[in-house]
């Protein structure tokens, strides 16, 4: 009797591992036959030997045998459900295929350019600041030496909201807000979205990113402007880059200049990227007009300063060879995941 009870204990313990090891419904079926089969199943064999026992021992062994049989049946059933579930998934996908690499997102090419510009100017002591996108016409035009009837106010005609509030046509109102909030010395870079009533085409967008900078202190001259912006061009475009300053006009700077850099593609000998000139225009700059200082309460006899503004979208197009500005706004993953 003790022999049969021990055999049943071992069988129950071993059956668990055997059942869990079955990887397919077919394997599980052969485990079932081995354990419970009517002809040669191990439990069946034990039950057959009950006849060899003394009659008083039979009920205890029989009860134990039925207990083990029930436990094995329950385990087989549970395993069978697990395998059925898995094979359903296996029919849908090949689980042995390597996982597809998922794109976890990235930074937009314009944001990359903005961050890089801000990092370079941070080394020169410029702080990154932001301001509102909806402005009053005073901040957007008047304080920047552009009376509302001045042609320059038309040039930058933007989208008007209510009561003299408009979508800013440049980031320059943030210069005014910064100077109102802080006394000199001031050194800031201002990235942000600006708005123009431009037609949507390959090189124009009605909303685009701009970044500008402002430096104000006692004794600042045009030499500081040229030196800083030339050094910026070398840092951003490469050490052999040259910068050129052409006279220009902006209402809020005097004198004003357009800043060109030697073509990054041909190095200055002329190619299609620079339209054969060897130069590429990257920004406008100039010495802050004394009238601008007066509108924020700075003493123009004591302080001088310079400012620049550029379009990071255009610079991203140059840097990455992007042919159409609309690609920057399409949110097409096939385009964006290249950066
Ligand atoms: Zn060129």
């Amino acid at each position: 009797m003790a022999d049969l009870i021990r055999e049943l204990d071992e069988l129950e313990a071993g059956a668990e591992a055997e059942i869990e090891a079955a990887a397919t419904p077919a394997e599980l079926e052969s485990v079932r036959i081995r354990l419970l089969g009517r002809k040669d199943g191990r439990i069946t064999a034990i039950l057959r030997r009950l006849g060899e026992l003394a009659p008083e021992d039979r009920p205890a062994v029989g009860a134990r045998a039925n207990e083990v049989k029930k436990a094995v049946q329950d385990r087989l059933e549970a395993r069978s459900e697990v395998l059925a579930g898995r094979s359903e998934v296996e029919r849908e996908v090949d689980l042995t295929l390597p996982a597809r690499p998922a794109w976890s997102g990235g930074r937009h090419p314009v944001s990359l350019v903005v961050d890089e510009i801000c990092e370079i100017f941070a080394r020169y002591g410029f702080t990154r600041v932001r301001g509102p996108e909806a402005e009053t016409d005073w901040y957007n035009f008047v304080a920047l030496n552009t009376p509302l009837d001045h042609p320059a106010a038309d040039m930058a005609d933007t989208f008007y909201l209510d009561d003299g509030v408009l979508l800013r046509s440049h980031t320059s109102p943030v210069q005014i807000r910064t100077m109102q909030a802080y006394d000199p010395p001031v050194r800031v870079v201002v990235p942000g979205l600006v708005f123009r009533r431009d037609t949507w085409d390959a090189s124009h967008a009605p909303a685009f990113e701009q970044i500008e900078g402002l430096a104000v202190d006692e004794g600042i001259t045009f030499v500081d402007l040229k030196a800083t912006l030339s050094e910026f061009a070398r840092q951003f475009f490469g050490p052999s880059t040259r910068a050129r300053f052409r006279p220009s006009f902006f209402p809020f700077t005097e004198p004003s200049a357009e800043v060109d850099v030697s073509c990054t593609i041909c190095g200055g000998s002329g190619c299609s990227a620079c339209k054969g000139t060897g130069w590429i225009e990257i920004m406008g700059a100039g010495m802050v007009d004394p009238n601008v200082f007066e509108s924020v309460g700075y003493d123009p006899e004591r302080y001088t300063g310079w400012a620049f503004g550029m379009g990071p979208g255009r610079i991203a197009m140059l840097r990455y060879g992007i042919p159409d500005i609309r690609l920057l706004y399409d949110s097409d993953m096939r385009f964006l995941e290249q950066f």
Side-chain angles (χ1 to χ4, degrees):
M1 175 195 168
D3 281 358
L4 285 182
I5 295 287
R6 201 180 58 241
E7 264 186 64
L8 284 167
D9 289 345
E10 285 170 5
L11 191 150
E12 189 182 23
E16 182 181 353
E18 266 184 83
I19 291 167
E20 293 307 312
T24 65
E27 278 176 40
L28 189 64
E29 177 60 12
S30 62
V31 172
R32 192 190 66 77
I33 290 169
R34 210 154 55 234
L35 295 171
L36 299 176
R38 275 167 202 267
K39 247 171 90 185
D40 301 318
R42 287 165 59 194
I43 293 178
T44 316
I46 289 171
L47 286 170
R48 254 184 223 134
R49 284 160 59 196
L50 281 182
E52 300 164 11
L53 296 173
E56 65 270 25
D57 289 337
R58 286 176 200 163
V61 178
R64 177 67 185 134
N66 282 323
E67 206 177 279
V68 172
K69 189 174 171 182
K70 176 79 171 56
V72 167
Q73 279 169 337
D74 288 350
R75 267 189 200 289
L76 284 165
E77 193 154 327
R79 183 65 184 160
S80 164
E81 273 168 27
V82 169
L83 291 180
R86 174 185 290 180
S87 62
E88 214 169 280
V89 173
E90 278 171 343
R91 272 198 295 277
E92 299 290 328
V93 284
D94 180 355
L95 293 177
T96 63
L97 276 177
R100 245 178 246 169
W103 185 48
S104 58
R107 281 145 89 209
H108 194 277
V110 173
S111 301
L112 291 172
V113 165
V114 167
D115 287 348
E116 189 177 339
I117 293 169
C118 288
E119 277 161 29
I120 292 171
F121 277 96
R123 285 179 231 145
Y124 312 149
F126 285 67
T127 306
R128 182 174 181 155
V129 295
R130 284 191 170 272
E133 290 175 0
E135 275 291 7
T136 63
D137 50 16
W138 188 83
Y139 277 101
N140 196 75
F141 294 120
V142 180
L144 289 155
N145 198 36
T146 313
L148 292 177
D149 55 1
H150 191 283
D154 287 339
M155 246 158 59
D157 212 358
T158 180
F159 300 96
Y160 285 83
L161 308 172
D162 287 337
D163 296 331
V165 177
L166 46 82
L167 296 181
R168 66 182 179 188
S169 61
H170 46 188
T171 43
S172 307
V174 187
Q175 292 189 15
I176 302 298
R177 292 181 177 277
T178 303
M179 289 191 284
Q180 285 179 328
Y182 303 99
D183 288 329
V186 162
R187 280 196 293 274
V188 290
V189 272
V190 187
L193 211 53
V194 303
F195 306 85
R196 303 276 172 91
R197 277 176 43 186
D198 274 338
T199 314
W200 186 236
D201 66 22
S203 51
H204 295 87
F208 56 94
E209 191 78 8
Q210 192 173 64
I211 184 165
E212 64 180 61
L214 171 71
V216 182
D217 202 351
E218 287 180 65
I220 287 193
T221 70
F222 199 83
V223 172
D224 300 301
L225 179 160
K226 282 190 79 171
T228 310
L229 295 180
S230 301
E231 178 57 18
F232 161 77
R234 284 189 288 273
Q235 296 267 337
F236 188 87
F237 293 102
S240 59
T241 307
R242 285 161 294 130
R244 162 176 101 165
F245 297 77
R246 284 181 289 114
S248 184
F249 168 80
F250 303 108
F252 30 84
T253 48
E254 178 63 36
S256 304
E258 300 283 356
V259 184
D260 301 338
V261 292
S262 50
C263 177
T264 50
I265 312 286
C266 64
S269 58
C271 69
S272 64
C274 56
K275 298 190 181 79
T277 63
W279 295 95
I280 291 176
E281 185 188 321
I282 59 157
M283 67 168 98
M287 300 302 290
V288 179
D289 194 289
N291 289 341
V292 174
F293 287 145
E294 270 169 11
S295 65
V296 297
Y298 280 10
D299 178 359
E301 296 300 324
R302 182 174 169 196
Y303 295 111
T304 49
W306 56 268
F308 70 86
M310 59 183 147
R314 227 178 76 76
I315 290 176
M317 290 171 74
L318 272 179
R319 164 162 286 188
Y320 301 114
I322 299 166
D324 190 319
I325 199 170
R326 288 169 291 193
L327 285 167
L328 298 174
Y329 300 87
D330 280 348
S331 302
D332 186 330
M333 300 257 287
R334 291 166 302 178
F335 169 75
L336 293 173
E337 66 188 356
Q338 296 173 47
F339 299 94

